[in-house]
Amino acid sequence: MRISPDQLVLWAWGPVQLNATIVCTWTVMLVLVLGSHLATRRLSTATRLTRWQNLLEVLVSGMREQIREVSQQDPGKYLPFVGTLFLFIAASNVLAVVPGFTAPTASLSTTTALALCVLVAVPLYGIVERGLGGYLAVYVKPTVFMLPFNILGELSRTLALAVRLYGNVMSGTVIAGILLSLVPFFFPVVLQLLGLLTGLIQAYIFAVLAMVYIASATRTHGGH
Amino acid sequence: MTIDWLTVGAQALNFLVLVWLLKRFLYGRVVRAMDRREAAIAERIRAADARMVEAEAEARRHREAREGLEAQRERLLKRAREEADDLRRTLDDEVRGELAEARARWRAELEREQAVFLQDVRRQVATHFETLARRALAELADAELEAQMARVLIERLGRLDPERKDDLARRASGEPLLVRSAFELPVAVRRALTAAIHDAVGKEVAVTYERTDELACGLELRAGGQSLGWSLDGHLDALERRLAEGLARVAGGGRGDAHP
């Protein structure tokens, strides 16, 4: 049984391999970008909206509100990063119900890549917001002895982010696969539905946690 | 649980590309559209507020204008009422004056008609009395009215005191004595009367006779403004007075009924 979509290599050229993870990621990207482009081609600024525009605005303003609630700051500069994390993970997990499609988030490589992006984004946002000195000072608070623990905490929470998402999505896929071989038809469908819910929740958790980390790095007072 | 670091790098790159693409095609557009709509709504609210302020100012102006018009209307009404009162008073006075004039005219007319009526009554009474007296005397006493009246005048002449006779003589010295009668005196009567006058006043006195309608069934001797005689005038005057009193009583009662 295949645990990770990384193992399904569709095309290889020397050391460069095009596996299912990347192809599915591109599919998700294509769906998101194409859908966004089609839906935002003719946006109305009047008070009458199309249903698609209304849906998009609800989605975007909902994300902005969530970011504002968590960070207590203007959501403008965090929205592209955190919003894309949520949309990408959610779209990947939802598309997992399509036969033949494997969620890229079921690959530890993908979740690691996302967690690494968060790991990089947190200090970037922190430095932009507070300056290099202000950001680095966070690591020696409350005392300089806390420096190794803070660095360790930074790494461990990145690891936790990656493994939590991977574990949840991968387990859903694997359990569905196992059940499908034991009890066909009805029971796996219920589990798939449950997987949809879990996938959305995981997307939300990942995005909110990323936002919490970024907010803790950019906030002047207090930590997480 | 394997990590393909090449895939990790590719996925990180994919994710960053996706961030850029979504920022371009989704967030930027949607947020801009929402901002523009919010700005448009804010602008409309601001315009509505401005219009509201303008409308309130306009309403205030209208209210003030209406109050001004109301006040002006009240003033005009008051003036018109005063003018109407004045006019009514003037008309009342005029009507009262006209009524008083009409009443005076009516009263004058009434009095004139009354006078005419009394005159008429007096004349008819005198005529009838004369006719009656003449007939009664002729039928009952076989006597003529003229002769009887001349006799009475002759008797009175005879009974005149000497001063009065002298006075008559003095008055008759310049002009003839005038004997006036309501009817034509027969010649015999004239002759008798002339003789009686000559006996009383003197033979040199000239006597003339005249018939007049002024006397009501009577006979009068007139000399220099003084007269001696007998006629129904006194009785007729008394009768006329009583009739006038009776008419006044009737008129007064009638007025009383008309104006309680």
Side-chain angles (χ1 to χ4, degrees):
Chain A
M1 182 171 189
R2 210 172 49 241
I3 296 294
S4 169
D6 292 1
Q7 295 164 349
L8 180 62
V9 178
L10 301 174
W11 180 80
W13 184 64
V16 180
Q17 293 180 340
L18 193 63
N19 54 36
T21 306
I22 294 174
V23 172
C24 288
T25 300
W26 285 349
T27 310
V28 172
M29 284 170 68
L30 191 70
V31 168
L32 283 177
V33 173
L34 205 63
S36 300
H37 175 63
L38 290 176
T40 58
R41 258 186 322 175
R42 286 189 292 271
L43 286 182
S44 160
T45 55
T47 45
R48 290 180 69 84
L49 305 177
T50 61
R51 289 176 184 167
W52 281 110
Q53 185 178 348
N54 208 353
L55 177 69
L56 280 185
E57 289 191 1
V58 167
L59 198 65
V60 171
S61 59
M63 289 192 295
R64 279 162 66 96
E65 282 310 308
Q66 283 293 322
I67 293 170
R68 197 195 306 276
E69 250 178 56
V70 172
S71 69
Q72 302 292 322
Q73 297 172 53
D74 175 45
K77 52 185 176 290
Y78 307 121
L79 177 66
F81 183 75
V82 178
T84 306
L85 273 178
F86 173 75
L87 286 180
F88 175 69
I89 296 168
S92 299
N93 294 349
V94 167
L95 283 176
V97 296
V98 177
F101 182 91
T102 313
T105 44
S107 152
L108 187 59
S109 304
T110 307
T111 57
T112 305
L114 295 179
L116 284 175
C117 285
V118 175
L119 180 72
V120 174
V122 169
L124 273 182
Y125 276 116
I127 290 167
V128 167
E129 194 70 28
R130 306 170 65 176
L132 185 60
Y135 172 72
L136 289 179
V138 173
Y139 286 93
V140 291
K141 279 180 182 174
T143 69
V144 76
F145 298 112
M146 292 298 287
L147 179 64
F149 298 103
N150 280 330
I151 293 172
L152 206 60
E154 196 80 20
L155 294 175
S156 65
R157 74 189 185 190
T158 305
L159 183 67
L161 262 184
V163 174
R164 183 190 302 112
L165 179 61
Y166 163 73
N168 273 290
V169 179
M170 183 272 288
S171 64
T173 313
V174 171
I175 288 171
I178 294 169
L179 282 176
L180 206 57
S181 61
L182 296 178
V183 195
F185 306 122
F186 183 70
F187 197 61
V189 172
V190 178
L191 266 182
Q192 286 278 31
L193 288 175
L194 197 66
L196 276 180
L197 182 68
T198 317
L200 285 176
I201 291 172
Q202 286 306 317
Y204 177 75
I205 288 172
F206 197 100
V208 166
L209 281 178
M211 190 60 238
V212 167
Y213 300 152
I214 293 169
S216 71
T218 53
R219 220 173 283 163
T220 316
H221 299 290
H224 61 277
Chain B
M1 202 169 86
T2 54
I3 295 178
D4 179 3
W5 289 105
L6 207 65
T7 308
V8 169
Q11 287 296 72
L13 187 68
N14 281 336
F15 177 73
L16 291 179
V17 169
L18 183 64
V19 168
W20 179 77
L21 285 173
L22 285 187
K23 185 180 179 185
R24 179 183 165 85
F25 290 115
L26 183 66
Y27 309 121
R29 289 182 181 179
V30 172
V31 170
R32 265 200 306 278
M34 287 197 296
D35 286 348
R36 273 203 295 271
R37 184 181 311 108
E38 278 176 16
I41 291 171
E43 171 62 24
R44 284 170 68 175
I45 289 174
R46 194 195 58 71
D49 285 347
R51 273 204 290 276
M52 175 78 85
V53 168
E54 194 181 331
E56 279 173 0
E58 186 71 17
R60 196 166 51 247
R61 275 200 298 279
H62 273 279
R63 205 165 41 241
E64 286 168 2
R66 201 186 58 215
E67 284 168 1
L69 282 176
E70 285 279 331
Q72 190 181 359
R73 191 173 70 96
E74 283 300 320
R75 274 200 307 278
L76 286 175
L77 268 178
K78 192 177 169 207
R79 201 165 68 205
R81 224 174 269 131
E82 286 170 359
E83 283 176 3
D85 284 347
D86 289 348
L87 183 63
R88 189 168 53 81
R89 271 195 292 277
T90 310
L91 287 176
D92 278 357
D93 291 347
E94 281 180 12
V95 167
R96 253 188 226 106
E98 282 176 9
L99 268 177
E101 269 179 34
R103 193 178 293 132
R105 270 200 311 277
W106 172 76
R107 187 170 292 281
E109 181 74 13
L110 190 68
E111 283 170 358
R112 195 181 59 75
E113 282 180 3
Q114 192 174 327
V116 168
F117 170 71
L118 288 175
Q119 277 297 120
D120 194 37
V121 167
R122 179 190 179 110
R123 192 171 47 74
Q124 289 204 19
V125 165
T127 308
H128 287 300
F129 177 76
E130 181 197 336
T131 310
L132 190 65
R134 190 181 299 283
R135 192 176 298 157
L137 278 174
E139 288 177 1
L140 299 177
D142 194 20
E144 283 186 354
L145 181 62
E146 295 84 355
Q148 289 301 318
M149 287 173 72
R151 192 177 57 76
V152 170
L153 186 60
I154 289 165
E155 275 180 20
R156 291 179 75 174
L157 269 173
R159 283 203 303 272
L160 275 180
D161 48 33
E163 291 86 13
R164 188 76 188 276
K165 284 179 181 170
D166 290 346
D167 185 41
L168 268 178
R170 196 170 52 252
R171 284 174 185 276
S173 59
E175 56 182 314
L177 272 174
L178 179 64
V179 177
R180 300 169 78 206
S181 63
F183 38 81
E184 202 63 47
L185 287 173
V187 178
V189 173
R190 284 187 187 191
R191 204 172 289 141
L193 264 176
T194 306
I197 290 167
H198 284 163
D199 285 349
V201 183
K203 295 207 183 291
E204 66 282 4
V205 171
V207 179
T208 58
Y209 289 89
E210 184 187 277
R211 186 188 170 280
T212 178
D213 289 333
E214 288 177 13
L215 286 174
C217 189
L219 201 57
E220 183 190 60
L221 177 63
R222 186 176 278 271
Q226 196 151 56
S227 68
L228 174 69
W230 176 88
S231 76
L232 278 180
D233 277 346
H235 301 287
L236 289 175
D237 284 346
L239 176 68
E240 189 178 331
R241 220 170 18 252
R242 267 188 228 110
L243 268 176
E245 283 169 9
L247 281 174
R249 241 193 335 273
V250 170
R255 273 205 301 277
D257 288 345
H259 304 284

